[in-house]
């Protein structure tokens, strides 16, 4: 081993030059990291290597120089470019010149196993190390080092692979001037793309855009140099960032605070960071204090004086784009929990790392008419600032969604500088908006185009009409043969990727054999194969409202792995023997071969469970065979679930909808709430049981430090404040001390709510909003007492049952097989133990999957909102006949009944269950004027129909008072009512859970997505009478009045005076409400007397009956996997 020295000069933030001398020990065993290595054994097999390898059949290897690596990193990040050799020379120089963002980007490319790119330690290799000559520049010495590296690869691989040096600074002649340069080609990026990617317009457009951005940056640097501009405050009010050394020292001493900047979607002028347990959240108000930081940046913040500390606003934003984005904002929800709490404020004084990503944007209206080549674009996400880009022909960008990236943000510039990447299509076209959703949430190009590499497709089994796949006889001998068992699947209609199937039968002595059979994807997808690497990168199948993007090739997801009926399929099975009370006697895990008898849909299975002998779409003879199994399955799972509920399992609320599309003319014919069926919970409970038992088996079977588990931490106590206030407004108390206490409280509320289903649904939704996010973890990263799943009330839980669409399940399958075989490695995956036993690597995969899973959920949510918007657009458009008149008409009102779900300072949010839509209703205008429609003031006295104009007549000058965020009271002064018909209410109250009539409307936008908002029509017919009177019903019913008897006027007045909530009601409405309550009370008393006479005493509920008391749409398992529609909660871990 030889020793040498490397000398580097580095400029610090204080403009001083520091000389750094590093000792370098040269080695002879540095591996080439190429699958083409001709040595035996290959050089990467002689040492421990954790890197991916260069492709075994490459067209060429790429070696980028410093000019390309520094300024064209985005081009190197494109998935098309593979087999790149990043040299230690270039990466070290990037580090020494504080180009950390570029350095990390190149490292990330090398870490992506699909890219087949490596980092070669040429500075430590005896044969490639190059010393700097006297009077030689660093740039020329580095160039010689790259040529030496390329030459060594050429010799080492015996000329089998061409080597291309990419450079924007040097040419082929610069190679010929050096020794030993035979077989090395130097190309500029333009020459390279023209030669090897002539038809890939995206790469050519990106190169042109990057060149323009570089030109702009160079010109700006020249201008600053020539003008002698000094660092400091720019004309915009921004400040120069403090030196990194000062930032690090300040954070360490807690004088400064570090965290990830989050911009509040509902109030873009406010951002925040989490400053730690001692200080909590720090609010950054205004763009000047944000100081050029962008949402997601890791920043350092300095606190402002306490006199400037504020309480975050709780009003509804008047910007519809902000409201749309607020659905993803965790802080927006936490504001509701901690309303009016004063928070410290601060300003950004430094950025540790940038989070700049590709952004979907639209050219600012009118920009094409302006002179010059610089133009502003508006990002689709409203929390991102406008971006200044350079484009030679802005007219081609008009009415287009484009992708842009930020390059820099000078201190004297109001907006960041960026560059155009590509166009994705015309604004507001369906495919364009779907593409925008995918780009915003980081769904990879390969996944969105359904593309898999040729190498991956070569790994796939053959399954064609002429050559269908069949099981290997040798493999059948190693599996449990279950083909004679009655096995069936129950899935949504038209399901193609069938992961799971069920079997159940009685085996004597009251015992039951129950099996869950899962597609054996791990048999076909070998660890670290090309298909496995691509599946790991994708993480999950992405489901949108009208399409899906698979994690695996279709030959697996829809054919060979999918558990279709009447064909043999490999499976991973869990089989229990249960006693009569569904207690587990023993459990078997292992590989099997099955033959499903039927692919049932949920509705078909529910029909059999309801007692039907034959259901549509299933053969009568098969129905006869399956019906007893479905009934036995339901009977068994009711007992299993009742036991889990008794331990604290939660039943919360989600609001899923599905879209019905028009087949011929296109468009959406209807939005349908997901119909709850008992069979949904039956299948979910079976999957929960399998996941829980597999989790414990993997943990106990040898993976205590690296088991892939699913963790759901307890919620933060302060997040329950909104739920507690809402329940208290209706006279209920909620105990949140544990999941068992919370579950009991919610059940108690449901039992005492007099059948008010909407109230209970919203109450459970509020409980959902308080929940933390479930996530994947490596067992070695957490203590055992933190493995628990709060929502499901289980000590161990994982994901095992969906390996076709979730990569985590595939990891768990491999770990389970390693446990079964009693060894950390399996015959089909000899390298499995290196990954599966490594807790750190499993934790890294878990973090990646958590990110991909969350982005997939958010993309699904955005897709749902997009189609809801399209539906409202259809419903509110004037008819074709109206358009022919040539007059510009207002949108047609689309009236629905909704429920007040949140109370804010200037209005409230309304949830429309029919369509799963949530939108704002404003009572206070942006100007500060408080107004209410005339139709609201009539309050049932004067009939108001949507065909009239009462809802369009606004009564202004009102006074508003909100009480504890649970109710709003409006008072209309007499002078405001003088010009309107007599008999109008002067006081109107809106409370949480009140039903209201609203008109759904669409706020159209050019640069952003259209958004739904609502205008108030009035209280729902029942809300203004029945709800307030119920609070007094128990006292009123003690009186001696007969049904229909005239109530005394003074008694009615006394009742109204005791509760201001009854003030808006007329005397007649109060009387009708009281009499209705009396009649209902007498009917209940009569029923009770009849039951008593018959001596009928209701027996205590057994576990099955208790199960039936739960509505099938109250499944937390479904909720945890699909998230609440209103909000996707971020991780509770501190940033």
């Amino acid at each position: 081993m030889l020793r040498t020295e490397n000398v580097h000069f580095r400029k610090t933030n204080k403009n001083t030059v520091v000389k750094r001398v590093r000792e370098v020990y040269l080695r002879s065993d540095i591996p080439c990291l190429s699958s083409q290595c001709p040595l035996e054994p290959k050089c990467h097999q002689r040492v421990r290597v954790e890197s991916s390898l260069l492709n075994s059949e490459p067209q060429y290897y790429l070696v980028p120089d410093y000019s390309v690596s520094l300024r064209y990193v985005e081009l190197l990040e494109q998935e098309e470019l593979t087999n790149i050799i990043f040299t230690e020379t270039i990466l070290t120089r990037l580090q020494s010149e504080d180009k950390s963002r570029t350095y990390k980007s190149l490292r990330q490319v090398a870490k992506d196993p699909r890219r087949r790119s490596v980092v070669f330690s040429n500075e430590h290799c005896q044969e490639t190390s190059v010393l700097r000559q006297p009077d030689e520049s660093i740039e020329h010495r580095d160039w010689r080092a790259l040529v030496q590296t390329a030459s060594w690869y050429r010799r080492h691989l015996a000329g089998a692979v061409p080597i291309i040096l990419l450079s924007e600074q040097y040419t082929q002649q610069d190679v010929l001037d050096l020794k030993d340069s035979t077989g090395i080609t130097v190309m500029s990026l333009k020459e390279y793309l023209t030669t090897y990617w002539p038809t890939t317009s995206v790469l050519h457009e990106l190169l042109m855009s990057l060149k323009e951005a570089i030109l702009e940056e160079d010109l700006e640097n020249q201008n600053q140099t020539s003008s002698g501009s000094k660092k400091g405050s720019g004309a915009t009010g921004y400040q120069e960032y403090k030196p990194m050394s000062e930032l690090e020292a300040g954070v360490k001493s807690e004088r400064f605070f570090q965290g990830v900047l989050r911009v509040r979607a509902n109030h873009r002028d406010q951002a925040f960071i989490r400053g730690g347990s001692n200080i909590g959240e720090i609010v950054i108000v205004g763009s000047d204090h944000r100081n050029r930081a962008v949402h997601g940046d890791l920043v350092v913040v300095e606190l402002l004086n306490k006199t400037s500390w504020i309480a975050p606003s709780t009003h509804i934003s008047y910007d519809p784009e902000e409201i749309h984005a607020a659905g993803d904002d965790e802080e927006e929800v936490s504001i509701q929990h901690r309303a009016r709490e004063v928070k410290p404020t601060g300003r950004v004084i430094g950025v540790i790392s940038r989070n700049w990503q590709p952004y979907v944007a639209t050219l600012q209206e009118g920009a094409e008419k302006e002179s010059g080549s610089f133009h502003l674009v508006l990002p689709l996400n409203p929390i991102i600032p406008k971006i200044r880009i350079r484009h030679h022909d802005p007219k081609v960008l008009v009415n287009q969604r484009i992708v842009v990236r930020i390059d820099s943000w000078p201190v004297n510039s109001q907006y960041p500088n960026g560059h155009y990447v590509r166009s994705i299509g015309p604004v507001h076209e369906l495919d364009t908006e779907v593409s925008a959703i995918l780009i915003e949430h980081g769904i990879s190009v390969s996944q969105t185009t359904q593309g898999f590499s040729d190498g991956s497709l070569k790994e796939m089994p053959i399954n064609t009409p002429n050559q269908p796949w069949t099981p290997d006889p040798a493999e059948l001998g190693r599996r449990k043969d279950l083909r004679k068992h009655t096995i069936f699947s129950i899935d949504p209609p038209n399901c193609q990727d069938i992961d799971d199937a069920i079997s159940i039968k009685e085996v004597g002595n009251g015992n039951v054999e129950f099996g869950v059979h899962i597609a054996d994807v791990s048999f076909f997808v070998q660890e670290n194969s090309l298909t496995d690497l691509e599946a790991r990168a994708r993480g999950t199948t992405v489901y949108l409202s009208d399409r899906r993007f698979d994690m695996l090739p279709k030959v697996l997801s829809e054919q060979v792995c999918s558990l279709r009926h009447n064909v043999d399929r490999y499976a991973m099975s869990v089989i229990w023997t249960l006693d009569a009370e569904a207690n587990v006697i023993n459990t078997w895990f292992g590989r099997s071969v099955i033959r499903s008898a039927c692919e049932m849909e949920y509705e078909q299975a529910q029909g059999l469970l309801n007692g039907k002998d034959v259901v549509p779409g299933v053969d009568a003879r098969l129905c006869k065979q399956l019906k007893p199994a479905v009934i036995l399955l339901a009977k068994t799972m009711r007992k299993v679930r009742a036991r889990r509920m008794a331990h604290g399992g939660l039943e919360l609320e989600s609001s899923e909808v599905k879209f019905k599309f028009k087949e011929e003319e296109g468009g959406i014919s209807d939005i349908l709430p997901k119909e709850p069926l008992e069979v949904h919970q039956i299948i979910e409970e079976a999957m929960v049981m399998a996941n829980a038992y597999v989790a414990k088996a993997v943990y106990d079977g040898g993976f205590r430090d690296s088991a892939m588990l699913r963790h759901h931490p307890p919620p933060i106590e302060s997040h329950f404040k909104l739920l507690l206030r809402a329940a208290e407004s209706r006279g209920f108390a909620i105990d949140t001390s544990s999941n068992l206490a919370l579950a009991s409280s919610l059940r108690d509320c449901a039992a005492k709510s007099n059948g008010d289903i909407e109230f209970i649904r919203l109450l459970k939704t509020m409980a959902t909003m308080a929940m933390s996010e479930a996530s994947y973890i490596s067992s070695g990263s957490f203590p055992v007492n933190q493995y628990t799943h709060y929502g499901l009330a289980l000590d161990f839980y994982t994901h095992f049952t969906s390996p076709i669409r979730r990569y985590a399940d595939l990891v768990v399958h491999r770990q389970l097989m390693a446990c079964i075989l009693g060894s950390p490695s399996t015959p089909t995956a000899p390298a499995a133990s290196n990954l599966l036993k490594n807790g750190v690597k499993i934790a890294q995969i878990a973090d990646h999957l958590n990110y991909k899973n969350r982005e997939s959920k958010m993309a699904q949510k955005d897709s749902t909102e997009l189609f809801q918007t399209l539906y409202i657009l259809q419903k509110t458009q004037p008819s074709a006949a109206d358009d022919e008149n040539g007059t510009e008409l207002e949108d047609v009102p689309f009236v629905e009944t909704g429920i007040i779900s949140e109370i804010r300072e200037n209005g409230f949010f309304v949830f429309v269950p029919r369509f799963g839509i949530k939108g704002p209703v404003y009572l206070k205008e942006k100007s500060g004027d408080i107004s209410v429609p005339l139709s609201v003031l009539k309050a049932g006295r004067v009939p108001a129909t949507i065909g009239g104009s009462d809802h369009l007549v606004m009564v202004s000058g009102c006074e508003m008072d909100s009480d504890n965020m649970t109710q709003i009271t409006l008072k209309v002064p007499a002078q405001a009512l003088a010009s309107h018909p007599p008999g109008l209410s002067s006081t109107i109250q809106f409370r949480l859970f009140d039903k209201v009539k609203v008109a759904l409307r669409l706020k159209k936008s050019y640069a952003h997505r259209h958004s739904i908002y609502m205008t108030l029509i009035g209280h729902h017919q029942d809300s203004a009478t029945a709800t307030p009177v119920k609070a007094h019903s128990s006292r009123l019913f003690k009186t001696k009045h007969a049904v229909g008897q005239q109530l005394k006027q003074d008694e009615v007045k006394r009742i109204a005076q005791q509760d201001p909530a009854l003030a808006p009601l007329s005397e007649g409405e109060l009387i009708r409400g009281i009499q209705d309550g009396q009649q209902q009370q007498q009917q209940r008393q009569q029923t009770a007397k009849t039951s008593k006479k018959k001596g009928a005493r209701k027996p205590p509920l057994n576990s099955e009956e208790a199960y039936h008391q739960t509505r099938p749409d109250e499944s937390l398992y479904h909720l945890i996997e699909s998230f609440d529609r209103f909000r996707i909660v971020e991780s509770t871990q501190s940033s």
Side-chain angles (χ1 to χ4, degrees), residues 65 138 177 217 353 399 405 525 541 563 747 755 1039 1076:
D65 79 340
I138 294 178
D177 292 341
E217 183 179 354
S353 63
N399 294 321
R405 294 195 71 159
V525 180
T541 293
L563 305 182
R747 283 195 291 267
T1039 63
D1076 289 343

Side-chain angles (χ1 to χ4, degrees), residues 45 76 107 324 347 368 476 668 721 834 844 991:
Q45 295 174 342
L76 299 177
R107 278 285 189 180
H324 170 81
R347 65 184 183 96
E368 73 281 3
L476 290 178
I668 307 168
K721 287 187 177 180
N834 291 336
Q844 292 173 348
R991 304 191 305 169

Side-chain angles (χ1 to χ4, degrees), residues 236-239 241 261 269-273 282-294 299-305 308-310 344-351 409:
T236 58
Y238 299 141
Q239 299 289 326
Y241 296 141
L261 184 83
D269 64 325
Q270 293 185 4
F272 70 97
I273 70 164
I282 303 172
V283 181
I284 297 101
V285 181
S287 59
D288 287 351
H289 285 157
R290 202 177 304 169
N291 198 15
R292 297 170 290 143
V294 176
V299 301
V300 175
V301 170
E302 179 182 49
L303 289 183
L304 299 178
N305 192 287
S308 65
W309 291 12
I310 65 170
T345 57
R347 65 184 183 96
V348 175
I349 57 174
V351 176
W409 197 339

Side-chain angles (χ1 to χ4, degrees), residues 534-762:
E534 180 65 31
R536 186 188 305 170
R538 297 185 179 194
T540 179
T541 293
V542 179
Y543 292 91
L544 303 186
S545 299
D546 66 333
R547 64 196 77 185
R548 79 169 193 264
F549 300 97
D550 292 328
M551 183 185 78
L552 296 172
K554 288 188 181 297
V555 68
L556 293 181
S557 62
E558 294 186 2
Q559 300 174 31
V560 176
C561 287
S562 185
L563 305 182
R564 313 308 296 262
H565 70 292
N566 295 330
V567 290
D568 294 346
R569 289 290 182 260
Y570 293 157
M572 287 281 287
S573 297
V574 184
I575 301 176
W576 298 271
T577 300
L578 308 175
D579 65 16
E581 294 303 317
N583 297 303
V584 176
I585 299 175
N586 58 62
T587 310
W588 179 87
F589 303 93
R591 277 181 159 156
S592 63
V593 57
I594 68 171
R595 189 178 183 88
S596 175
C598 182
E599 302 172 25
M600 270 192 291
E601 298 177 359
Y602 283 120
E603 290 76 9
Q604 294 170 336
Q606 188 65 48
L608 295 178
L609 184 59
N610 292 342
K612 294 182 179 179
D613 294 325
V614 179
V615 293
V618 181
D619 180 74
R621 185 171 54 183
L622 193 56
C623 287
K624 184 177 181 180
Q625 178 185 358
L626 294 174
K627 182 178 178 180
V630 172
I631 294 175
L632 180 60
L633 175 66
K635 180 180 179 181
T636 305
M637 288 301 101
R638 288 167 188 163
K639 296 174 181 177
V640 172
R641 185 175 184 277
R643 188 179 300 119
R644 185 171 61 81
M645 292 295 104
H647 285 85
L650 292 174
E651 303 171 22
L652 299 185
E653 187 68 33
S654 64
S655 308
E656 259 197 285
V657 294
K658 59 182 179 179
F659 298 90
K660 188 176 181 181
F661 297 97
K662 300 175 184 177
E663 296 182 359
E664 298 179 359
E665 65 271 24
I668 307 168
S669 61
D670 202 359
I671 301 179
L672 303 173
K674 184 177 179 182
E675 182 183 358
L677 301 172
E678 184 189 3
V679 73
H680 290 151
Q681 282 193 340
I682 291 171
I683 296 301
E684 288 165 359
E685 194 63 36
M687 299 304 113
V688 168
M689 184 175 177
N691 288 332
Y693 272 80
V694 168
K696 191 67 165 66
V698 169
Y699 179 79
D700 290 339
F703 291 92
R704 289 182 176 269
D705 295 326
S706 60
M708 176 75 79
L709 300 178
R710 186 75 172 165
H711 167 57
H712 184 217
I716 300 172
E717 187 64 27
S718 62
H719 286 183
F720 282 119
K721 287 187 177 180
L722 181 62
L723 171 67
L724 297 177
R725 288 174 183 169
E728 186 180 356
S729 70
R730 287 293 189 93
F732 295 111
I734 302 288
D735 184 354
T736 60
S737 58
S738 68
N739 54 356
L740 180 59
L742 178 59
S744 299
S745 296
L746 291 175
R747 283 195 291 267
D748 184 59
C749 291
K752 298 178 179 178
S753 63
N754 296 325
D756 193 342
I757 297 175
E758 288 82 3
F759 163 66
I760 296 302
R761 289 187 64 184
L762 282 177

Side-chain angles (χ1 to χ4, degrees), residues 788-803:
T788 56
H789 197 293
Y790 177 87
L792 297 177
L794 294 170
D795 293 332
F796 287 85
Y797 194 69
T798 190
H799 276 168
F800 163 77
T801 54
S802 296

